Amino acid sequence: MESEDDMIEDSLSYTVLKEADIKQRQEDDISKVSTVLSISRVDATILLRYYNWSVSKVHDEWFADEGRVRQSVGLLERPAVQVSNARELTCGICFESFLRDNITSVACGHPFCLSCWRGYISTTIYDGPGCLSLRCPDPSCNAAVGKDMIDKLATSEEKEKYSRYLLRSYVEDNRKTKWCPAPGCEYAVDFTVGSGNFDVSCNCSYSFCWNCTEEAHRPVDCETVAKWILKNSAESENMNWILANSKPCPKCKRPIEKNQGLCLGAWAEHGERTGGFYACNRYEAAKQEGVYDEAERRREMAKNSLEKYTHYYERWASNQLSRQKALADLHQMQTVHLEKLSDLQCTPESQLKFITEAWLQIVECRRVLKWTYAYGYYLPEHEHAKRQFFEYLQGEAESGLERLHQCAEKELNKFVTGDGPSKEFDDFRAKLAGLTSVTKNYFENLVRALENGLADVDSQAAAACSKTTSSKNTGGTSKTRGGRGKGSSKSGGSGRNVDDTSN
């Protein structure tokens, strides 16, 4: 088991970054570009920002056409305007005259007074991250304004904001990094794109999908998760309920909930001759003539759709609640019960790791099981073999999880609340560790099957079809052997799993 865990650690496709790690990586990238291209760190920062912090992209574009890159980014090699050597210069914004010491410009040479520069910089910084792409105030000029100008003229508060925007841009503009989406978390994740599994566990203990940033949802793909979340939050289910349980008023078209006959005729036309106001015989007569067949069929379909959705949603939500409860129990175990149990059983906490491992397995299995219900909802109804196989695997995994959860929750409690060492504790240790291992195997099989699109069912069906065709081609007495072969194929291999679910 230890060797497998080591392999898992080695195969991690991501790195969790603290703020200090992000700053260090950012500084390293700026240094690389500055050194290779022989430009200032300020210009290197502007280049990296423009190319989304991709060092390789900067190098490729720069060496392909330096002039075009300079023009696009705003790194001018020579001033766009020639400033006179006069003692005083006119500001291009306020048009006041100032001594040369009170006038400054970026590489383009357009002169502006320090006061106007400060106002311009302050406004853009307080407007948001757009200040990182600051350009010369002259409307016709594309020259970039770098961090050196910010450091020279901005207040300490504005410098802090600018630095914060710059740090965040390294994560938000970078294709390989993302912030952890957990509320209040300040960790970022650097991910190796193309590694297959997108599940990420942040140091804050939150697990999420790096691809779509929703909570970790393996083995269900991001598209299915997006559809499921949209379905849970949209008004479509309300409309399904309305369709299933109400009929529109013929005059105002508002939905009316009515569980007896409703002919949709005007109220004034009803009375004793129609069978009463509340039990109109026009509806029954029209129904017998087939007038309402289509409407009834649509309502029945809507009701069935709602019942199906409710079935899967309730189980999805139930496992979500169970997972949250398991997380709370895990925290309680780690902070309170382990120490107490160690004292009662005269066992060092290092030898009680099997309990923590069991709870971690429960938490992970609840997450997987929750998302299998979203998978099941979208599994096509006509693929009966796949649905049977899926329900079999899901049922086996769920049964194993319930046994593990029961053992970790109920059976452990008697040792935590006991008065002293128990001779049964070693037996409990073996049982809990065994259930943890078995449950893990169940869920690994389930995850593998779903990620493969339940391909085992297709391969089994193809094999059965091939065997049937072969038996038909042999003809004569071989038909009898073919019949026996067909029967035996149902009772062997993975095909047995599919058929067993119908029992």
Side-chain angles (χ1 to χ4, degrees):
M1 289 296 293
E2 290 183 2
S3 61
E4 288 181 8
D5 293 339
D6 292 340
M7 289 172 61
I8 291 171
E9 290 294 326
D10 293 339
S11 64
L12 282 180
S13 56
Y14 62 89
T15 306
V16 180
L17 306 174
K18 303 189 292 291
E19 183 174 318
D21 300 325
I22 300 169
K23 284 182 178 178
Q24 186 60 53
R25 289 188 175 211
Q26 188 177 47
E27 290 297 318
D28 290 345
D29 287 350
I30 292 171
S31 297
K32 287 177 189 175
V33 171
S34 176
T35 302
V36 173
L37 305 187
S38 299
I39 57 177
S40 69
R41 291 178 62 83
V42 171
D43 288 353
T45 303
I46 294 171
L47 271 174
L48 282 165
R49 266 274 304 131
Y50 187 84
Y51 289 106
N52 296 326
W53 298 97
S54 173
V55 174
S56 61
K57 183 73 171 175
V58 169
H59 289 165
D60 291 344
E61 295 295 324
W62 182 272
F63 291 119
D65 192 341
E66 179 183 339
R68 180 182 58 79
V69 171
R70 283 185 175 275
Q71 183 63 34
S72 300
V73 179
L75 298 180
L76 307 185
E77 290 189 274
R78 59 183 63 86
V81 295
Q82 295 298 324
V83 181
S84 69
N85 294 323
R87 184 167 172 269
E88 291 187 351
L89 296 173
T90 301
C91 172
I93 295 177
C94 66
F95 300 105
E96 297 285 338
S97 295
F98 295 89
L99 295 174
R100 295 184 69 91
D101 291 345
N102 291 321
I103 293 283
T104 190
S105 65
V106 288
C108 59
H110 290 113
F112 303 100
C113 70
L114 298 183
S115 177
C116 288
W117 266 114
R118 288 190 183 101
Y120 177 61
I121 288 172
S122 177
T123 300
T124 54
I125 288 177
Y126 280 103
D127 280 347
C131 63
L132 298 176
S133 303
L134 201 58
R135 303 288 175 165
C136 171
D138 189 293
S140 64
C141 185
N142 188 44
V145 178
K147 193 172 184 295
D148 54 342
M149 188 67 85
I150 307 298
D151 292 339
K152 178 181 177 182
L153 298 174
T155 65
S156 57
E157 181 182 348
E158 290 163 356
K159 291 176 188 176
E160 176 62 30
K161 277 184 174 290
Y162 186 90
S163 297
R164 175 59 56 179
Y165 290 143
L166 191 63
L167 181 73
R168 292 193 68 84
S169 79
Y170 186 78
V171 174
E172 292 164 7
D173 297 339
N174 196 326
R175 190 173 64 92
K176 299 193 301 178
T177 58
K178 289 180 182 179
W179 294 109
C180 171
C185 180
E186 296 187 355
Y187 289 109
V189 176
D190 180 85
F191 191 86
T192 304
V193 179
S195 57
N197 180 16
F198 289 112
D199 280 6
V200 169
S201 293
C202 181
N203 290 352
C204 70
S205 77
Y206 182 74
S207 295
F208 67 97
C209 171
W210 194 88
N211 188 46
C212 67
T213 67
E214 294 291 347
E215 66 169 282
H217 52 73
R218 190 184 180 208
V220 181
D221 61 69
C222 298
E223 183 182 355
T224 301
V225 170
K227 288 193 296 184
W228 180 252
I229 290 174
L230 180 63
K231 190 168 188 66
N232 292 345
S233 60
E235 290 295 318
S236 59
E237 294 312 319
N238 292 337
M239 289 307 300
N240 272 342
W241 189 93
I242 289 171
L243 278 172
N245 298 280
S246 69
K247 297 179 181 180
C249 168
K251 201 163 191 177
C252 69
K253 305 303 179 185
R254 290 185 178 275
I256 304 167
E257 183 182 2
K258 184 77 165 65
N259 57 12
Q260 294 182 18
L262 193 65
C263 76
L264 303 182
W267 185 259
E269 298 175 4
H270 289 72
E272 291 182 6
R273 59 187 174 81
T274 65
F277 289 102
Y278 298 99
C280 177
N281 55 23
R282 288 181 181 176
Y283 172 79
E284 294 300 328
K287 188 175 180 181
Q288 289 177 5
E289 294 170 6
V291 176
Y292 294 116
D293 283 356
E294 178 61 23
E296 287 296 322
R297 189 183 66 80
R298 287 177 59 245
R299 271 189 286 274
E300 190 63 29
M301 287 176 62
K303 182 174 288 189
N304 291 339
S305 174
L306 183 60
E307 287 175 356
K308 176 185 174 181
Y309 170 74
T310 302
H311 169 85
Y312 286 98
Y313 178 78
E314 284 178 349
R315 285 154 181 79
W316 181 87
S318 174
N319 277 285
Q320 169 70 351
L321 291 174
S322 295
R323 182 176 183 272
Q324 291 173 347
K325 174 68 164 54
L327 279 169
D329 290 342
L330 171 62
H331 178 72
Q332 180 81 354
M333 177 61 60
Q334 291 174 321
T335 56
V336 179
H337 292 163
L338 277 184
E339 184 178 354
K340 182 179 179 182
L341 190 63
S342 176
D343 294 338
L344 284 172
Q345 302 300 326
C346 302
T347 305
E349 288 190 36
S350 60
Q351 295 183 19
L352 298 177
K353 286 184 179 179
F354 72 97
I355 298 174
T356 303
E357 289 170 358
W359 277 107
L360 288 172
Q361 189 66 52
I362 290 169
V363 169
E364 173 63 10
C365 289
R366 287 293 177 194
R367 182 193 66 76
V368 172
L369 189 59
K370 177 182 78 167
W371 285 111
T372 62
Y373 282 103
Y375 183 96
Y377 179 80
Y378 290 106
L379 193 60
E381 293 287 348
H382 65 273
E383 296 188 357
H384 302 296
K386 282 191 175 183
R387 180 167 289 279
Q388 283 185 324
F389 188 40
F390 161 71
E391 289 174 353
Y392 169 77
L393 291 175
Q394 186 190 50
E396 290 292 297
E398 189 162 14
S399 297
L401 176 57
E402 293 301 335
R403 289 193 295 269
L404 174 62
H405 207 155
Q406 173 81 9
C407 183
E409 189 173 43
K410 304 293 184 184
E411 296 183 33
L412 178 61
N413 190 55
K414 67 179 182 180
F415 298 108
V416 175
T417 57
D419 298 326
S422 172
K423 295 179 180 178
E424 299 175 358
F425 188 71
D426 286 339
D427 293 336
F428 168 76
R429 179 202 304 273
K431 180 179 180 180
L432 186 61
L435 286 174
T436 302
S437 177
V438 169
T439 304
K440 181 181 179 181
N441 288 335
Y442 276 136
F443 275 85
E444 284 178 349
N445 291 335
L446 175 62
V447 168
R448 193 180 303 113
L450 299 194
E451 287 183 333
N452 290 336
L454 299 171
D456 287 349
V457 176
D458 292 333
S459 61
Q460 187 70 19
C465 181
S466 174
K467 189 175 292 186
T468 302
T469 303
S470 175
S471 66
K472 284 182 179 179
N473 292 337
T474 57
T477 57
S478 61
K479 283 186 178 180
T480 307
R481 287 198 303 274
R484 287 197 299 270
K486 186 177 179 181
S488 62
S489 69
K490 284 187 176 182
S491 61
S494 60
R496 183 175 64 251
N497 295 341
V498 177
D499 294 333
D500 285 348
T501 58
S502 62
N503 294 332

